[in-house]
Amino acid sequence: MEKRCTILGAGESGVWAAVLASLKGWNAFVSDSKNITAEYKAILNQYKIDFEEGEHSLDKICDSELIIKSPGVPESTKIVQTIRKQKIELISEIEWAFRYTDKPVIAITGTNGKSTTTRLIGHILDKASLKVSVGGNLGDAFSKLVINAEEDTDYYVLEVSSFQLDDCKTFKPKISIILNITEDHLDRYQDKFENYIQSKLSIARLMDKEDTLILNFDDKVLLEHINKKQLNTRKLWFGMEEKKELTAFTRNNKLIIAEENPFEMELTDLKIKGKHNIYNSMAAGISARVLDLRKEVIRESFMDFKGLEHRLEFVARIGGVEYINDSKATNVNSAWYALESMNKPTVWIAGGVDKGNDYASIIPLIRKKVKAIICLGANNVPLHNAFSKHVDVMMNTDNMREAVEMAAAISTNGDAVLLSPACASFDLFENYKKRGEHFKKHVIEL
C-alpha cells in the first residue's frame, strides 16, 4: 500500500521536502494557506505532486501517516493543533531530509551569525578539497541538497533555525555550533524566552561522545543553560579573553586555537571585520580543526572569505563617506554588533517592524558612535522613545530613497552611513534582501 504524507507550506523547504518524498516512493500532498509562487508550482507540477493553495483541507491532510511542517508554519495554527490532536507524526523538514542521508552534518544555530559562520565553514571545507553541500536555512533546503548531492558529498553544512529544530526526532549532527542566544521570535514561543532557549539547545539533544558541540563561553544565557543539560557529547568553548576552559580565544590581537601546536593568526588579517566575526571565525576554526583540516587552509580561508551580502557589506565610498549594508540585522543584538564594529562617526538607518525590542543595550554605542539616526519605517515611535535623549539628530521617513538622500546630506568626509535596522522588514519590504537591494541601488544612484 502506498505511503501518504502531507507537507505544510510550499516555500523552499516545503516544496523540496515534497520532491524528496515523491522520489522516495511516498504519495505526497502539499498544502499552503497562502498562494504558491509560479516557480514552486512549476516544480510541483514537474514531479506530478498534488497541491492546494489558499486553504488547508483538513480531511485530506489528516489522511496521512506523516506530516512534514515547513519552518514558516507556526505551532499555534489551527491545522497544526488539529494534527496534534489526531496524533499523526509531525516532523520538520530538517528531520525529514536527515532520515535520507548517512553523511555527516555540521549544523550551526544561534540568534546571530549563523549565515556567515555556515558559509565560512563551507568555504574552508571547499578550500580543503572536500565535497561540501551548504544550505538549510539559507540557500538550498536540506531536502534539495540530499536530492542533488547525496552521492557526491562529504559533508552537509547547515544553517539551522529554531523553527527547523522544532519537531526534530532523530537529527544528530556530527558537529554542532551554538553561537549565541538572545531574545528573538518570541511570538512563536508563547512570548517565553525559555522556550526559545530550549529550542536552540535541542540541536545537541542526541549528540554523543563521538560528536562535538562548539559553544560561545561569553554568552551568559548559553553558559547558564547548557550546564543544566545532561549532554553526552564533547563540548569545546570559544570566547574573547583567554581562559583555561577555552579552545579558541584572542591574545595580543591574535586569534588562537589552542592545541599542542596552536593555530595563531593576526586579527587584522581576517577578511571579515568586527567583534562578531571574530566569534564566527573562532567557531568555524574549531570545527575545521575537529575535522583535522590543515592550518594553512584555515588561514587562507580566513584571509579571502568575502562575507555575505546584506551583512556588514561595503557598498561604496562617496565623497569620503562609507556606505554599509547590514540589512540582515533584523534584531537588536545583530545591530549591536554592527554598531560596535564601526570606527567612524556613523549615520545609522534603523527601523521596520519592531518585535517588542529592548534597545537599552545599544544606548552606550549610540552615545559613543552615532551622530544621527534616520528612522525608516511605518511606525518610528519606538525608536524615538528609545533614542531621542541620546542623539542630537533624528529624522523620519518611510522611503529608502529618501533615507539614503537624508544620510548623504548630513554625513561628511570621514563618516559612515550604516543600514542596520534592528527590525524586521515587512512593513515596507518583502524581506531583508529586498531592503538591502533598495539601499544599495539608491546609494549607487547618489
Side-chain angles (χ1 to χ4, degrees), residues 135-423:
N137 194 48
L138 84 166
D140 292 336
F142 190 16
S143 293
K144 184 177 181 181
L145 297 181
V146 169
I147 292 166
N148 292 337
E150 180 60 14
E151 302 305 317
D152 192 35
T153 197
D154 296 314
Y155 290 93
Y156 291 105
V157 181
L158 304 177
E159 175 185 325
V160 185
S161 72
S162 57
F163 302 158
Q164 291 173 312
L165 289 170
D166 295 338
D167 297 302
C168 278
K169 307 284 180 63
T170 66
F171 184 57
K172 181 180 178 291
K174 187 68 179 171
I175 298 173
S176 285
I177 298 171
I178 307 179
L179 293 164
N180 45 60
I181 304 178
T182 59
E183 292 192 8
D184 200 14
H185 303 301
L186 297 193
D187 55 325
R188 286 280 294 265
Y189 291 97
Q190 298 80 49
D191 291 320
K192 295 178 181 177
F193 188 29
E194 180 66 27
N195 293 350
Y196 176 66
I197 293 167
Q198 294 307 319
S199 177
K200 290 292 189 189
L201 298 183
S202 70
I203 197 170
R205 184 171 56 88
L206 297 178
M207 294 173 68
D208 59 35
K209 61 184 179 181
E210 302 299 321
D211 307 321
T212 303
L213 177 61
I214 300 170
L215 302 153
N216 185 348
F217 193 82
D218 295 345
D219 188 283
K220 293 179 181 178
V221 172
L222 186 52
L223 191 63
E224 174 190 350
H225 284 80
I226 204 72
N227 289 326
K228 297 176 183 177
K229 289 285 185 183
Q230 297 296 317
L231 298 176
N232 299 316
T233 187
R234 175 171 69 150
K235 296 191 283 287
L236 298 179
W237 295 89
F238 61 93
M240 209 51 75
E241 296 181 8
E242 182 176 1
K243 295 181 177 68
K244 67 179 187 302
E245 298 95 338
L246 304 187
T247 297
F249 48 85
T250 62
R251 181 207 299 149
N252 298 328
N253 290 314
K254 291 183 177 180
L255 188 158
I256 313 287
I257 300 177
E259 301 174 289
E260 190 173 327
N261 180 19
F263 171 91
E264 297 189 9
M265 182 172 178
E266 296 286 344
L267 294 177
T268 53
D269 288 337
L270 294 174
K271 180 77 171 180
I272 49 176
K273 306 300 182 184
K275 184 176 181 180
H276 61 300
N277 279 324
I278 298 173
Y279 283 124
N280 297 339
S281 298
M282 287 192 285
I286 293 173
S287 67
R289 290 304 296 149
V290 167
L291 299 177
D292 203 29
L293 302 187
R294 289 173 44 242
K295 294 175 184 177
E296 282 312 305
V297 168
I298 301 171
R299 187 184 313 279
E300 290 172 15
S301 300
F302 284 169
M303 292 178 74
D304 64 13
F305 178 68
K306 295 179 180 178
L308 301 183
E309 189 179 14
H310 310 298
R311 172 59 84 206
L312 282 176
E313 176 191 11
F314 174 79
V315 179
R317 183 176 287 104
I318 301 171
V321 177
E322 282 191 11
Y323 290 82
I324 299 167
N325 168 29
D326 193 46
S327 182
K328 201 171 189 298
T330 59
N331 58 54
V332 172
N333 190 250
S334 192
W336 184 95
Y337 278 115
L339 288 166
E340 190 274 338
S341 71
M342 303 306 292
N343 54 17
K344 299 179 177 184
T346 300
V347 176
W348 180 34
I349 302 175
V353 179
D354 184 297
K355 298 177 280 188
N357 292 349
D358 180 357
Y359 294 105
S361 63
I362 296 184
I363 289 172
L365 291 172
I366 298 297
R367 291 171 175 162
K368 182 179 179 181
K369 303 194 176 197
V370 175
K371 64 182 285 185
I373 299 174
I374 296 172
C375 305
L376 172 65
N379 175 17
N380 295 320
V381 172
L383 291 175
H384 281 269
N385 290 342
F387 301 124
S388 59
K389 296 178 182 177
H390 308 290
V391 67
D392 292 333
V393 178
M394 290 191 76
M395 306 170 77
N396 290 306
T397 181
D398 59 3
N399 180 290
M400 182 63 83
R401 179 192 292 276
E402 191 173 59
V404 170
E405 290 174 350
M406 285 177 175
I410 61 178
S411 56
T412 58
N413 190 351
D415 288 351
V417 173
L418 171 69
L419 171 69
S420 189
C423 297

